[in-house]
Amino acid sequence: FPDEAFLNELIEHVMEKVSGQQTPLERLQMVCNVAMNWIADYVTDPNVRWTRERVRVDDLYLTGTNPTWNPVIIDRCERSPAKLRETIRADASVAALFADLKADRRPILVRFEKEKPKVLDGMRRVIAAIREDWDTIDAYVARHAGPAQPFCEPHVVYDLLKAYHRGLNRDRASLVTALRFLRGAYGNVDVLLRERFVKAWVPDDEIQDIIREVLAS
């Protein structure tokens, strides 16, 4: 775009409009998707039950962070807090890698998967707690009480409909398949198709036919 100053003003204008339309959960979805993490999947899922608990640090299953740390956390220490603690004590280069991390008392987020308490958010605090030899850490713990039904952002559906409407891809069968896939994966897609993408918002007869076909399947 040829005018960076105008572009920045446009961004601020759009962000101001959007901020007045979004709920806190919708804002969380947006920033989590920018960060490409799973936090919003668990927070928006109506079948997830949350409890605040003290969790044993050594029971945690360490999760990925970044390409610099992952070879130590995942490959070398096999996601084990005990092995990571030993490695930090024994290897000065690993200790230096995590030296700037601050231990604090803010709760982390933990999700249970196949009986493993996996760190969902707060790996920096967990590593600091491991280094400081904490026995336990405060956590909000997510457990599924039914099938996973996370919510997806409305734009995910809209992007597919928009591409078809604009003629960027007129493969109707693929669009139907993609919408069916989203329907099966996310708990709010039915509501989006029935209420958000009605003809008043998407005045395209063919797309409305496609939506009816998807909802009928």
Side-chain angles (χ1 to χ4, degrees), residues 95-188:
L97 188 64
F98 302 121
D100 293 335
L101 299 184
K102 306 295 184 183
D104 67 53
R105 297 297 178 179
R106 285 178 300 143
I108 64 170
L109 301 182
V110 171
R111 63 185 175 91
F112 264 84
E113 183 178 318
K114 298 179 180 178
E115 304 305 316
K116 293 179 180 178
K118 297 187 173 184
V119 179
L120 178 60
D121 179 61
M123 272 294 297
R124 297 172 68 88
R125 280 167 282 157
V126 168
I127 295 170
I130 291 168
R131 184 195 62 209
E132 299 300 319
D133 205 22
W134 289 10
D135 290 327
T136 62
I137 193 168
D138 203 18
Y140 285 105
V141 180
R143 294 179 175 86
H144 273 99
Q149 288 189 327
F151 285 11
C152 72
E153 288 189 83
H155 81 81
V156 176
V157 177
Y158 181 66
D159 287 346
L160 296 174
L161 301 179
K162 178 176 64 176
Y164 190 86
H165 176 75
R166 292 186 60 195
L168 303 179
N169 187 333
R170 297 292 292 181
D171 186 341
R172 178 186 172 112
S174 292
L175 176 58
V176 169
T177 299
L179 292 173
R180 285 173 175 164
F181 175 86
L182 291 178
R183 241 186 120 205
Y186 294 99
N188 64 329

Side-chain angles (χ1 to χ4, degrees), residues 3-120:
D3 188 336
E4 185 174 349
F6 176 84
L7 187 61
N8 286 327
E9 291 177 3
L10 180 61
I11 291 168
E12 291 297 324
H13 172 66
V14 174
M15 288 182 66
E16 184 178 348
K17 288 176 62 177
V18 169
S19 65
Q21 300 172 2
Q22 289 182 306
T23 66
L25 283 181
E26 288 170 338
R27 291 198 296 274
L28 178 67
Q29 281 185 294
M30 180 177 69
V31 296
C32 287
N33 286 331
V34 171
M36 291 188 286
N37 64 47
W38 293 15
I39 297 170
D41 275 19
Y42 281 79
V43 175
T44 62
D45 191 328
N47 285 335
V48 167
R49 302 293 177 263
W50 291 91
T51 54
R52 185 162 178 167
E53 306 174 17
R54 293 295 295 180
V55 178
R56 288 189 70 250
V57 171
D58 280 5
D59 287 343
L60 292 171
Y61 183 89
L62 304 181
T63 50
T65 52
N66 59 62
T68 301
W69 293 2
N70 287 347
V72 175
I73 298 168
I74 297 174
D75 301 331
R76 185 171 173 182
C77 297
E78 301 175 312
R79 304 180 184 269
S80 163
K83 290 182 180 179
L84 180 58
R85 185 182 300 107
E86 293 170 4
T87 303
I88 291 172
R89 290 173 178 171
D91 189 326
S93 65
V94 174
L97 188 64
F98 302 121
D100 293 335
L101 299 184
K102 306 295 184 183
D104 67 53
R105 297 297 178 179
R106 285 178 300 143
I108 64 170
L109 301 182
V110 171
R111 63 185 175 91
F112 264 84
E113 183 178 318
K114 298 179 180 178
E115 304 305 316
K116 293 179 180 178
K118 297 187 173 184
V119 179
L120 178 60

Side-chain angles (χ1 to χ4, degrees), residues 190-202:
D190 265 20
V191 173
L192 291 174
L193 292 175
R194 294 181 192 280
E195 299 179 6
R196 180 60 181 83
F197 299 114
V198 294
K199 192 168 185 177
W201 286 99
V202 185

